[in-house]
């Protein structure tokens, strides 16, 4: 299986590139942000709990996310060509849990792709999206909080995957196609 993580700051293009990656590589796509937004729309107990964290720009608790992803993996593992994790893991604890889960299944994580985009561009992209997205976290105050949380909690995940020799940084500036070309080249070396 080709199991790939796409990480990077809010607005770096994880969702946009994920669509192209799953289409070309035929992978299952798990976006924890999307899964949580679906739960919020359905007004489930999980969605109600997650809503407050998301609206304030905080991460939802690790235990909640690890439960969600564990059942998602159990559903598809072994029955697909691979999994693309979008926006997960976001803390070192989540990364350790994912490694244990995937190694335990004999289907280890192949590569962590870190999309790098300057902060000014991230804010611009998210503010532009906020004009139409309806997302409760696409406003300047929450965007700034998300960026701060990213630096403190999520950047250590990059160091973790660097230490495992499974990390690649990709320039996330340019056209969507140019960026996808860089990602595809990085994935080719994994096959
Ligand atoms: P999540 O949904 O993952 O949001 P995020 O990380 O803040 O990132 P976004 O989805 O906003 O951006 P993106 O990187 O996907 O970029 P996109 O392609 O959309 O998480 C939301 C919240 O859920 C978190 O804050 C947290 O509370 C919670 N959560 C989720 N996962 C969690 C976890 N594992 N643990 C704990 N909590 C969790 O692009 C952004 C915009 O830019 C779009 O409008 C796009 O059209 C545009 N764009 C894309 N590429 C380009 C380009 N090359 N040039 C110009 N514009 C571009
Ligand atoms: Mg996204």
């Amino acid at each position: 299986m080709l199991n790939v993580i796409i990480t990077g700051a809010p607005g770096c293009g994880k969702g946009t590139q994920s669509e192209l990656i799953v289409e070309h590589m035929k992978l299952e796509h798990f976006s924890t942000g999307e899964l949580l937004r679906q739960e919020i729309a359905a007004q489930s107990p999980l969605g109600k709990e997650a809503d407050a964290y998301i609206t304030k720009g905080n991460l939802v608790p690790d235990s909640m996310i690890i439960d969600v992803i564990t059942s998602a993996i159990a559903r598809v593992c072994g029955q697909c060509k691979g999994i693309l994790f979008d926006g997960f893991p976001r803390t070192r604890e989540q990364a350790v849990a994912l490694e244990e889960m995937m190694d335990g299944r004999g289907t280890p994580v192949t590569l962590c792709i870190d999309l790098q985009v300057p902060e000014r561009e991230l804010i611009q992209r998210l503010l532009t999206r906020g004009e139409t997205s309806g997302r409760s976290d696409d406003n300047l105050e929450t965007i700034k909080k998300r960026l701060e949380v990213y630096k403190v909690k999520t950047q250590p995940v990059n160091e973790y995957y660097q230490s495992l020799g499974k990390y690649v940084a990709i320039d996330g500036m340019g056209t969507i196609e140019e960026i996808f070309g860089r990602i595809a080249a990085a994935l080719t070396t994994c096959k």
Side-chain angles (χ1 to χ4, degrees), residues 23-41:
E23 187 189 324
H24 282 80
M25 321 282 175
K26 309 285 178 230
L27 306 181
E28 283 286 331
H29 180 201
F30 290 156
S31 159
T32 41
E34 287 301 328
L35 286 168
L36 292 171
R37 282 186 286 279
Q38 283 166 14
E39 295 287 337
I40 292 170

Side-chain angles (χ1 to χ4, degrees), residues 3 17 19 32-33 36 45 51 70 76 78 83 87 99 101 112 121 140 146 167:
N3 297 313
Q17 293 300 327
E19 284 180 24
T32 41
L36 292 171
D51 196 10
T70 303
V76 303
I83 302 174
E99 283 301 296
M101 237 183 289
C112 173
E121 168 79 6
L140 189 57
R146 287 157 70 194
Y167 171 87

Side-chain angles (χ1 to χ4, degrees), residues 7 13 33 41 44 51 73 88 101 126 139-140 149 164 166 170:
T7 187
S44 69
D51 196 10
I73 290 172
F88 174 89
M101 237 183 289
L126 293 175
N139 59 79
L140 189 57
V149 168
L164 297 181
K166 299 182 187 181
I170 300 264

Side-chain angles (χ1 to χ4, degrees), residues 32 36 45-55 57-70 87-95 97 149 153:
T32 41
L36 292 171
L46 174 70
K48 283 181 186 158
E49 200 181 336
D51 196 10
Y53 292 100
I54 293 180
T55 302
N58 288 313
L59 296 181
V60 308
D62 286 336
S63 56
M64 203 194 270
I65 283 291
I66 291 169
D67 282 354
V68 167
I69 215 83
T70 303
F88 174 89
R90 252 174 154 100
T91 62
R92 202 175 187 285
E93 290 68 24
Q94 290 180 18
V149 168
K153 302 234 167 117

Side-chain angles (χ1 to χ4, degrees), residues 13-191:
K14 299 183 291 295
T16 305
Q17 293 300 327
S18 290
E19 284 180 24
L20 294 173
I21 298 169
V22 297
E23 187 189 324
H24 282 80
M25 321 282 175
K26 309 285 178 230
L27 306 181
E28 283 286 331
H29 180 201
F30 290 156
S31 159
T32 41
E34 287 301 328
L35 286 168
L36 292 171
R37 282 186 286 279
Q38 283 166 14
E39 295 287 337
I40 292 170
Q43 300 189 319
S44 69
L46 174 70
K48 283 181 186 158
E49 200 181 336
D51 196 10
Y53 292 100
I54 293 180
T55 302
K56 289 195 181 124
N58 288 313
L59 296 181
V60 308
D62 286 336
S63 56
M64 203 194 270
I65 283 291
I66 291 169
D67 282 354
V68 167
I69 215 83
T70 303
S71 43
I73 290 172
R75 237 183 9 252
V76 303
C77 209
Q79 297 168 47
C80 60
K81 288 178 76 177
I83 302 174
L84 178 64
F85 298 98
D86 163 2
F88 174 89
R90 252 174 154 100
T91 62
R92 202 175 187 285
E93 290 68 24
Q94 290 180 18
V96 170
L98 179 66
E99 283 301 296
E100 282 175 5
M101 237 183 289
M102 299 305 278
D103 287 352
R105 289 179 171 273
T107 56
V109 169
T110 316
L111 188 67
C112 173
I113 296 173
D114 176 22
L115 278 184
Q116 299 192 326
V117 172
E119 192 160 304
R120 229 173 50 174
E121 168 79 6
L122 294 170
I123 294 172
Q124 196 48 56
R125 286 186 191 179
L126 293 175
L127 284 177
T128 305
R129 188 179 67 188
E131 290 167 12
T132 53
S133 69
R135 269 178 62 164
S136 64
D137 56 352
D138 279 349
N139 59 79
L140 189 57
E141 192 187 342
T142 311
I143 290 167
K144 285 187 174 162
K145 178 70 180 173
R146 287 157 70 194
L147 291 169
E148 194 187 304
V149 168
Y150 169 75
K151 281 181 205 151
V152 176
K153 302 234 167 117
T154 305
Q155 269 185 340
V157 171
N158 295 343
E159 285 142 36
Y160 176 73
Y161 279 103
Q162 260 163 0
S163 76
L164 297 181
K166 299 182 187 181
Y167 171 87
V168 64
I170 300 264
D171 178 5
M173 291 291 280
T175 67
I176 289 165
E177 292 72 24
E178 280 165 352
I179 299 161
F180 177 66
R182 293 171 201 143
I183 293 174
L187 287 176
T188 305
T189 63
C190 297
K191 281 188 183 160

